[in-house]
C-alpha cells in the first residue's frame, strides 16, 4: 500500500502507529488540516518568473521562483484557496477564498492582501478579461458567475448557470467565457443526464446557452481555449451509469474524457477517451494548451500522470484527414480485419460520435502519451509563457511538479513547506482519491463522490440492492452517524459501506486502507450553506420555513429529526417509481441538502421544490397541501439553509 508514496519520494511509516487526529482533510478553518499542503490551482506570472499556487488545506497562496525552483513567499489567506489568476501586468494575483465568500487580490511583491472582493460563499475558478477590467468568479454552490469590476470593489453582474461552476476560460478576444459546470443539473432519471458547459457573452453580460456533454458526463474540470477562439477543450469524467455497475473491465463503469467544443456553432465537436482498453486515465483535471496549438496537456489526478495529446494530428484525424498511407487507413490495430475508427471518420466525419465509446482510438493512432509524475493527485496545470515548462499542483504531495515540455521529462519538484507524513485521515483522503487502487485504474471513490465525498448528480445501478433499480448518489458527509446506509437501507453502516464499495468498485482493500478511508469519511465537516445570511443565521424566510418544518400539520420533523434530520428508519412516502422493488426508503439526512441534488432515491426531483410539490401529489411525504405558495417558498428556503 505504501509503494505509491515511496515512489513519489514521500516517507511513510506504518500509519497504524500514528494517533488518530480527528477532524482532518480539506476543511476550512480546521487547525489540523492546516498541517497538510495541498496545492490546487497553478498560474505562471506573465513574465514567467513566478508560479502562484493556492494551498487549499493550509489557507495560503505560495509563490514559487521558477528559475531557482524554490519557494519564495507564503501568504496567509482565508477559507480554502482554490482558483488563481494573475493580472496581465503581473502586479496582482487573484485567489478565490472558498468558504469565506471572497476573492483576495494579493500584491506578489509585498505579499499584502490589497483588497478583498465579496462574492458568494464558495468561489472556485477565476478568469480575467483584462481588456474589460473584469474578473470572473465561479460561485460553485449558488450556480452563478460573478462579474467583478476591478475598478470598483464588488461584482457588477451575476449570471446564473445550471450547476456548480468550477472552472472558467475566456476566448482571446474576450467575447465569450466558457464555464464548466462540475455536476449535471436536472433529474437523474433522464438517461441523457450530463453536465453542461455554459457560454457567457461578455459584451452583453448574458448567458448565451449551454453545450451538453455526452450522457453520464460529470466532474467537469479545467478548460483551455484555442488561440483563434474556435475551440474549447474540457476535461471530464464520462460515467457509464446507464448500465448496471457489475464489472470494472474495459471502462464498463467509468471512462475519462476530453471534449472539444466548437465555440462558433456552440456544439460539441468531439469527445475522446483518455483511457486505453486496459488502463483507465481516471479523474482528469488540469488542461493546458501549447501556444503553437500542437500539444494539449491534461493532468490525470486519479492515476498521478500527465497526458500529452498530439493535438495537431488529432485535429487532422478528427476532420477526416487520416493520411492514405497511415497503417490505420488499412486495418484496425485492436480489431484486425475491421476498419479503424479513424478510417471510418475519414469516410464520414459524422462517425466522430463513436469516439466517445472507443477506448483504443487515441492509443492506436499514437496520439496520447501518459507520463507518470513524482507526486500524487495532480490538479491544476499551467504552461510557462515561453512554453518550455509545465507546472502541475500535486495536491497530496504538497508540491509543484515541473515538466520540460520538449523532452516530457521531469524538470523538478518544489515542496511547499515541510513534507508532513500523512496520518490515517489524510491517508484515507489520498486512498479515496487514488484510482490506482482500482482494478485497471478506471475510477476512485472521488470519481463518484467529488467535492470531498459528496455527490456526482447521477443515478447508478449498483449491485448491493439488486440490479435494475438505479439509485441516485449519496453524500458521505456524516454517514457514520446515520446508519443504515443506502436509499434502501441495505448496508448496515458506513464501515460496511466502505468495505463493499472497495469490493464492488475498486478491488480487495489492502490492510489498513479500509480503516483509513473510514477515518477520512468521519473527518468530513459540513460547509455552511450559502443561503444563510452573512452571520451564518437563517434568513427571515428560512425562519418561517423552520416553523412549518417543525409544525404538527406538516409533520416533516416527525421523520427528519435529531442533529442529522433523520430518524434512520425506512418509510413509504409515496415516491415508489416503476423500477423500484419496494415502496420504503431510508429517511435521508438533510444536512447540506443545498448541494446534493437531484433528490429522492431515484433522483426524480431536480429541485427541493419538486420534492415538495411535484413528487408529493398524494401528500404522503409530510403534509403540504394546506400551504400557500409563500409558505412553500419559506419551507424551501429553510431546506436550502441546512
Ligand atoms: C460508480 C460510482 C461510485 C463509486 C466509484 C463509489 N460510490 Fe459510493 N455510492 C455510490 C452511489 C450511487 C451510492 C448510493 C447507493 C444507494 O443508496 O443505493 C453510494 C453510496 C455510498 C455509501 C453509503 C452512503 C449512505 O449514506 O448511504 C458509502 C459509505 C459509499 N458510497 C462509500 C464509497 C467508497 C468508500 C467508495 C470508494 C471505495 C465509493 N463509495 C465509490 C456511487 C459510487
Ligand atoms: C414519514 C416520514 C417522513 C416525513 C413525514 C417526511 N419525510 Fe422527507 N423523506 C422521507 C423519506 C423516506 C425520504 C426518501 C424518499 C425517497 O427517496 O423516495 C425523504 C426525502 C426527503 C427529501 C429529499 C432528500 C434527498 O436527499 O433527496 C427532502 C428534501 C425531504 N424529505 C423533506 C421533507 C419535508 C420538507 C417534509 C415535510 C413536508 C418531509 N420531508 C416529511 C421521510 C419523511
Amino acid at each position: 500500500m505504501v509503494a505509491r508514496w515511496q515512489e513519489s519520494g514521500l516517507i511513510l511509516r506504518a500509519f497504524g502507529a500514528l494517533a488518530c487526529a480527528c477532524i482532518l482533510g480539506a476543511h476550512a478553518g480546521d487547525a489540523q488540516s492546516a498541517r497538510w499542503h495541498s496545492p490546487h490551482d497553478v498560474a505562471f506570472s506573465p513574465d514567467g518568473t513566478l508560479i502562484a499556487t493556492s494551498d487549499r488545506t493550509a489557507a495560503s497562496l505560495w509563490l514559487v521562483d521558477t528559475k531557482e525552483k524554490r519557494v519564495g513567499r507564503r501568504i496567509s489567506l482565508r477559507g480554502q484557496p482554490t482558483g488563481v489568476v494573475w493580472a496581465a501586468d503581473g502586479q496582482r494575483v487573484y485567489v478565490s477564498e472558498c468558504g469565506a465568500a471572497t476573492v483576495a487580490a494579493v500584491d506578489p511583491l509585498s505579499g499584502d492582501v490589497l483588497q478583498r472582493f465579496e462574492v458568494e460563499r464558495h468561489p472556485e475558478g477565476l478568469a480575467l478579461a483584462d481588456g474589460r477590467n473584469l474578473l470572473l468568479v465561479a460561485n460553485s454552490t449558488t450556480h452563478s458567475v460573478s462579474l467583478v469590476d476591478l475598478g470598483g470593489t464588488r461584482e457588477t453582474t451575476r449570471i446564473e448557470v445550471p450547476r456548480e461552476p468550477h472552472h472558467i476560460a475566456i476566448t482571446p478576444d474576450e467575447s465569450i467565457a466558457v464555464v464548466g459546470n462540475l455536476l449535471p443539473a436536472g433529474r437523474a432519471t433522464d438517461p441523457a443526464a450530463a453536465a453542461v458547459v455554459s457560454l457567457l457573452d461578455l459584451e452583453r453580460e448574458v448567458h448565451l446557452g449551454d453545450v451538453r456533454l455526452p450522457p453520464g458526463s460529470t466532474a467537469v474540470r479545467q478548460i483551455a481555449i484555442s488561440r483563434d477562439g474556435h475551440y474549447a477543450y474540457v476535461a471530464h469524467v464520462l460515467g457509464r451509469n446507464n448500465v448496471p455497475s457489475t464489472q470494472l473491465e474495459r471502462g464498463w463503469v467509468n471512462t475519462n474524457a476530453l471534449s472539444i467544443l466548437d465555440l462558433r456553432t456552440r456544439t460539441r465537436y468531439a469527445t475522446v477517451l483518455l483511457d486505453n482498453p486496459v488502463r483507465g486515465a481516471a479523474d482528469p483535471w488540469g488542461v493546458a494548451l501549447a501556444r503553437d496549438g500542437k500539444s494539449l496537456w491534461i493532468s490525470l489526478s486519479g492515476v498521478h500522470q500527465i497526458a500529452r495529446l498530439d493535438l495537431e494530428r488529432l485535429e487532422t484525424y478528427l476532420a477526416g484527414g487520416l493520411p492514405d498511407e497511415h497503417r490505420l487507413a488499412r486495418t484496425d490495430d485492436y480489431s484486425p480485419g475491421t476498419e479503424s475508427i479513424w478510417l471510418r471518420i475519414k469516410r464520414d466525419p459524422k462517425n466522430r460520435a463513436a469516439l466517445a465509446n472507443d477506448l483504443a482510438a487515441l492509443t492506436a493512432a499514437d496520439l496520447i502519451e501518459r507520463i507518470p509524475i513524482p507526486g500524487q493527485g495532480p490538479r491544476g496545470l499551467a504552461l510557462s509563457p515561453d512554453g518550455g515548462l509545465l507546472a502541475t499542483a500535486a495536491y497530496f504531495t504538497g508540491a509543484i511538479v515541473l515538466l520540460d515540455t520538449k523532452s516530457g521529462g521531469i524538470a523538478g519538484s518544489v515542496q511547499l513547506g515541510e513534507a508532513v507524513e500523512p496520518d490515517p485521515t489524510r491517508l484515507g483522503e489520498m486512498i479515496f482519491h487514488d484510482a490506482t487502487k482500482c482494478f485497471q485504474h478506471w475510477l476512485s471513490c472521488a470519481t463518484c463522490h467529488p467535492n470531498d465525498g459528496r455527490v456526482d448528480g447521477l443515478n447508478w445501478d449498483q449491485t448491493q440492492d439488486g440490479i435494475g433499480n438505479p439509485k441516485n448518489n449519496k453524500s458521505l458527509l456524516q454517514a457514520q452517524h446515520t446508519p443504515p446506509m443506502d436509499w434502501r437501507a441495505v448496508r448496515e453502516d458506513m464501515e460496511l459501506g466502505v468495505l463493499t464499495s472497495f469490493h464492488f468498485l475498486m478491488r480487495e482493500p489492502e490492510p489498513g486502507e479500509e480503516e483509513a478511508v473510514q477515518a477520512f469519511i468521519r473527518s468530513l465537516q459540513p460547509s455552511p450553506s450559502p443561503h444563510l445570511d452573512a452571520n451564518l443565521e437563517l434568513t427571515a424566510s428560512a425562519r418561517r420555513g423552520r416553523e412549518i418544518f417543525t409544525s404538527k400539520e406538516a409533520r416533516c420533523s416527525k421523520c427528519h429529526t435529531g442533529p442529522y434530520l433523520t430518524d434512520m428508519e425506512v418509510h413509504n412516502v409515496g415516491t415508489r417509481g416503476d423500477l423500484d422493488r419496494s415502496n420504503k426508503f431510508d429517511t435521508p439526512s438533510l444536512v447540506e441538502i443545498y448541494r446534493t441534488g437531484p433528490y429522492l432515491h431515484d433522483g426524480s426531483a431536480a429541485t427541493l421544490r419538486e420534492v415538495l410539490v411535484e413528487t408529493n401529489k398524494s401528500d404522503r411525504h409530510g403534509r403540504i397541501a394546506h400551504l400557500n405558495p409563500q409558505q412553500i417558498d419559506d419551507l424551501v428556503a429553510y431546506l436550502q439553509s441546512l
Side-chain angles (χ1 to χ4, degrees), residues 54-66:
S54 48
D55 185 338
R56 190 164 168 269
T57 47
S60 306
L61 174 75
W62 296 83
L63 296 174
V64 171
D65 184 316
T66 321

Side-chain angles (χ1 to χ4, degrees), residues 149-206:
D149 175 5
L150 291 173
T153 54
R154 300 192 52 90
E155 67 170 10
T156 47
T157 313
R158 188 176 302 177
I159 304 176
E160 287 185 9
V161 292
R163 173 102 193 252
E164 271 212 55
H166 271 233
H167 290 272
I168 310 178
I170 294 177
T171 53
D173 67 1
E174 298 188 353
S175 62
I176 292 178
V178 182
V179 181
N181 292 278
L182 188 81
L183 303 180
R187 296 177 188 170
T189 39
D190 175 0
V196 301
V197 176
S198 297
L199 306 182
L200 314 185
D201 179 333
L202 289 181
E203 181 61 43
R204 292 186 294 136
E205 303 194 342
V206 292

Side-chain angles (χ1 to χ4, degrees), residues 297-324:
W297 303 84
I298 305 167
S299 64
L300 307 175
S301 67
V303 292
H304 327 300
Q305 296 172 340
I306 305 285
R308 180 198 343 220
L309 298 196
D310 182 337
L311 194 61
E312 195 177 30
R313 267 198 307 126
L314 173 62
E315 292 192 331
T316 307
Y317 296 2
L318 285 171
L322 181 74
D324 292 332

Side-chain angles (χ1 to χ4, degrees), residues 58-240:
S60 306
L61 174 75
W62 296 83
L63 296 174
V64 171
D65 184 316
T66 321
K67 209 162 138 228
E68 304 286 325
K69 298 198 175 68
R70 61 171 179 77
V71 163
R73 194 183 268 287
R74 176 182 182 175
I75 297 125
S76 288
L77 295 176
R78 299 178 183 163
Q80 295 176 314
T82 48
V84 177
V85 70
W86 284 81
D89 62 5
Q91 304 289 305
R92 301 265 188 288
V93 189
Y94 299 98
V95 192
S96 289
E97 299 182 309
C98 187
T102 42
V103 175
V106 176
D107 178 342
L109 280 181
S110 67
D112 294 338
V113 176
L114 300 173
Q115 196 176 358
R116 279 196 159 88
F117 298 102
E118 285 173 25
V119 290
E120 299 269 289
R121 186 142 303 141
H122 299 110
E124 287 272 345
L126 299 178
L128 203 65
D130 219 59
R132 297 181 187 275
N133 212 22
L134 272 185
L135 178 71
L136 275 69
V137 186
N139 294 309
S140 61
T141 53
T142 42
H143 323 298
S144 68
V145 174
S146 288
L147 273 52
V148 177
D149 175 5
L150 291 173
T153 54
R154 300 192 52 90
E155 67 170 10
T156 47
T157 313
R158 188 176 302 177
I159 304 176
E160 287 185 9
V161 292
R163 173 102 193 252
E164 271 212 55
H166 271 233
H167 290 272
I168 310 178
I170 294 177
T171 53
D173 67 1
E174 298 188 353
S175 62
I176 292 178
V178 182
V179 181
N181 292 278
L182 188 81
L183 303 180
R187 296 177 188 170
T189 39
D190 175 0
V196 301
V197 176
S198 297
L199 306 182
L200 314 185
D201 179 333
L202 289 181
E203 181 61 43
R204 292 186 294 136
E205 303 194 342
V206 292
H207 179 195
L208 281 174
D210 301 317
V211 182
R212 184 168 285 271
L213 297 172
S217 294
T218 184
V220 175
R221 303 288 181 184
Q222 212 174 340
I223 299 171
I225 296 181
S226 61
R227 285 192 82 191
D228 59 11
H230 292 175
Y231 294 104
Y233 306 92
V234 186
H236 61 92
V237 158
L238 181 43
R240 304 290 163 169

